Structure formats: C-alpha cells, structure tokens
Amino acid sequence: MPAFTATAPGKIILFGEHAVVYGQPAIAVPVLEVQARAIVNARPGGQGINLIAPDIEISGGLEDLALDDAIALVIRLTLEELGISQPPACTLVISSSIPVAAGLGSGAAVSVAIIRALAGFLGHPLPDEAVNRLAFEVEKLHHGTPSGIDNTVVTYRKPVYFIKDQPIQTFDIPIPFTIVIGDTGVVSPTVKAVSQVRASYKAQPDLFQNYFNTCGMIAQNARFQLSDRRNPSLGPLMDDNHAVLQKMGVSSPELDTLVEAAREAGALGAKLSGGGQGGNMIALVEADQAEAVAAALQDAGAVRTIITTVR
Ligand code: PMV
C-alpha cells in the first residue's frame, strides 16, 4: 500500500464567534500559511496503527492512548465510517504548524488531516461531507458544545458563512484582503470561554441575547460588504464586534493591548478571534501596511504574528 499524505489549514473567525453557538451567523476563513499534516505509511510485518506525533509527545501504539483521546477518537471514527475493524499495520505521523489552543483551529485541522490520510491510505477517500461530520464529533471533545464552524472551514478550505444546523454556505471573496494575526501567547482553551459565556447567558438572558443579535447583524453586514467589494468597511465592523465581545467577557488585557496596537499602527480595524480570553487577535490591513502592523504587534507583546491573504 503506498503512503498517503493529507494536510488541512488553520482558520480564523472574522466575525461572530460565541454568538454562532446560539444560532447567529459567523464568517470564518482558512489560513493557508499554517497547516496540520498527517502521513500514513505501511508497516509490513507490524501490527495495528503506530502513532508518531512529536509536537504533542505521542509515540506508540493506538491502544496506548486513552479512550477519550482526540486522536484515538478520530482514528476510531474513521475506521467505523469505513467499516474496517482490522486496519493493516501502518504508521501515522502527525505534525502541525498551527499554534494549539489559540483560536486557529488546530484541533479541527489535525482531525481533518488524519481522517483524509487514513481513509486515503485505506483506499477509500471520504467525501467532504463525511470528513466534516467526523471532525465535528471530535470537536465535541475539544469544545463541549461546538457550533461546528471550525471543522467546516477547515474541511472545505473556503470562506464560510456559517449558521449552525443550516446547509453549509461557502463563498468566494471578490477582492482578496490582508489580515495580520497576532498571538497573545496566552493559552486559552475554547471550552472554558464557551462555558463562561453560557453561564453569563443563563444569568442575564436578555442582555446576552442582545449581544448575540448584535454580533449576528455585524456578521450579516460583513458578508454583504464583502460581496459588494467594500473590503475596507470590514474594519469598523471588526472594531464593533470586538466591543461586543469585550462586554461578553471574552477579551483579556493582552488581547485589548494588541487590538489597540494594531489600530494605532494603521490597521483598518481589529478584534479578538475565536474563543478569546487569550489566543489570537486579527487586524484588517492594507497589504502594504501588513509588515508595520505585524512589527507593532510584536512590540506590544505578540509572541507570533502571521500575515495571511484571504482569497
Ligand atoms: O476554536 P476557536 O477558539 O476559534 O473558537 C471557536 C468559536 C466559538 O464560537 C467560540 C465556539 C464555537 O464552537 O463556535
């Protein structure tokens, strides 16, 4: 059996994180500059699936992983989907340049890469719909009550206008634009921020429903501005979205510092992206401002910056 390699990109949420969990629209785009990679090689004479994932210090047999481990789950789900109970002996090598627990979709990308590599190696490549469905099951481990936006954008590798439980809407960006991503370096599991928002929503349902509605209107407006080729209008919408996320309690001093630094360095707008309380922020910039904004973010404490063109 020949070796099989699959990759999957990172992602950022441009608009609508958290509110998307409550049925509001959100926009997410792939970040092709970072990726997860899975390679499956035959291991003649061996037995079972051997795993090598140096980034997360895994090296050994599948059976050595805990039952609720995300990688064990994704492999099990893929084999079940294919109806294969005894896979041929093979080695699965997993690597990723996507920062972990930072709102860049690393968990979803690793899942998608593994599903595609394993299914391809076994001679039964899976359609996007199945890849997405399986990756969503694994997201539940990472996120608790995920909206499904991460696995969707990572699976389809296209900008997505996402509404939970509705048919997937990928779309084309008429005019590409540049985003600078700044990482606070603060590790922040999404599940924590999502459950905090849930608790606040329970305590103040009207107030939080209002916040969610506002985020939804911002995402809707952004989708309209994009299709109308008015990219710079996204900047003020990012600022507005960040202000609501601050009120929802999912920003942090580090995120606010980077958002402010990006604006001062000439960004058209900036906001946190993803679960928040750490992780990454994003800034919309003119292409020729990208390096200056990235430098300003680093001066303000960003541990990493990524410049990505959304197309
Ligand atoms: O994986 P993250 O940190 O980008 O967060 C996903 C976005 C949330 O809206 C906060 C959660 C979800 O499931 O949609």
Side-chain angles (χ1 to χ4, degrees):
M1 265 176 171
F4 201 97
T5 301
T7 61
K11 74 101 216 331
I12 45 174
I13 296 184
L14 292 183
F15 295 98
E17 50 276 272
H18 287 289
V20 69
V21 176
Y22 299 86
Q24 297 294 330
I27 299 177
V29 296
V31 177
L32 303 169
E33 287 77 4
V34 287
Q35 60 177 14
R37 176 186 300 268
I39 308 170
V40 186
N41 284 295
R43 205 157 47 92
Q47 254 194 343
I49 298 182
N50 196 43
L51 296 166
I52 304 177
D55 304 336
I56 43 174
E57 290 172 12
I58 289 181
S59 174
L62 174 61
E63 63 286 352
D64 298 334
L65 294 181
L67 269 186
D68 64 350
D69 180 276
I71 291 178
L73 177 62
V74 75
I75 294 171
R76 216 169 50 240
L77 289 172
T78 307
L79 294 175
E80 266 171 36
E81 178 78 12
L82 298 172
I84 294 174
S85 54
Q86 294 281 322
C90 58
T91 301
L92 168 60
V93 184
I94 306 157
S95 59
S96 173
S97 58
I98 308 172
V100 175
L104 290 179
S106 72
V110 166
S111 295
V112 167
I114 292 175
I115 296 164
R116 289 221 170 100
L118 198 54
F121 172 76
L122 295 168
H124 301 284
L126 287 169
D128 287 344
E129 174 279 317
V131 173
N132 194 31
R133 178 166 39 80
L134 300 182
F136 181 58
E137 286 306 309
V138 186
E139 285 296 283
K140 290 181 186 167
L141 266 190
H142 291 296
H143 282 197
T145 53
S147 62
I149 191 168
D150 279 21
N151 45 285
T152 303
V153 65
V154 165
T155 297
Y156 289 87
R157 280 181 175 266
K158 296 261 301 170
V160 175
Y161 185 73
F162 184 89
I163 304 174
K164 197 174 154 182
D165 299 329
Q166 289 203 9
I168 289 159
Q169 299 178 50
T170 59
F171 65 97
D172 291 319
I173 304 271
I175 305 176
F177 55 92
T178 308
I179 295 281
V180 183
I181 305 170
D183 188 346
T184 60
V186 177
V187 172
S188 169
T190 301
V191 67
K192 204 170 135 255
V194 169
S195 48
Q196 190 189 303
V197 170
R198 186 168 298 281
S200 305
Y201 174 50
K202 274 194 184 144
Q204 297 171 285
D206 293 345
L207 181 66
F208 271 70
Q209 190 57 56
N210 240 322
Y211 292 154
F212 300 152
N213 293 348
T214 307
C215 293
M217 281 187 292
I218 292 171
Q220 219 178 336
N221 192 349
R223 174 75 187 91
F224 176 71
Q225 301 297 336
L226 270 173
S227 61
D228 231 25
R229 311 166 90 90
R230 287 202 288 253
N231 294 355
S233 319
L234 299 184
L237 290 174
M238 282 187 177
D239 292 340
D240 291 349
N241 199 164
H242 187 71
V244 185
L245 290 163
Q246 280 177 316
K247 289 185 194 156
M248 284 161 61
V250 292
S251 192
S252 70
E254 293 85 356
L255 282 165
D256 290 343
T257 299
L258 294 188
V259 164
E260 207 43 56
R263 291 177 187 152
E264 274 168 22
L268 301 171
K271 64 183 276 291
L272 70 86
S273 177
Q277 298 182 334
N280 281 279
M281 50 70 68
I282 56 174
L284 176 73
V285 297
E286 300 290 3
D288 58 4
Q289 291 273 304
E291 294 293 349
V293 171
L297 288 175
Q298 281 161 21
D299 286 347
V303 296
R304 183 190 301 102
T305 54
I306 298 168
I307 297 172
T308 182
T309 304
V310 180
R311 56 180 85 247

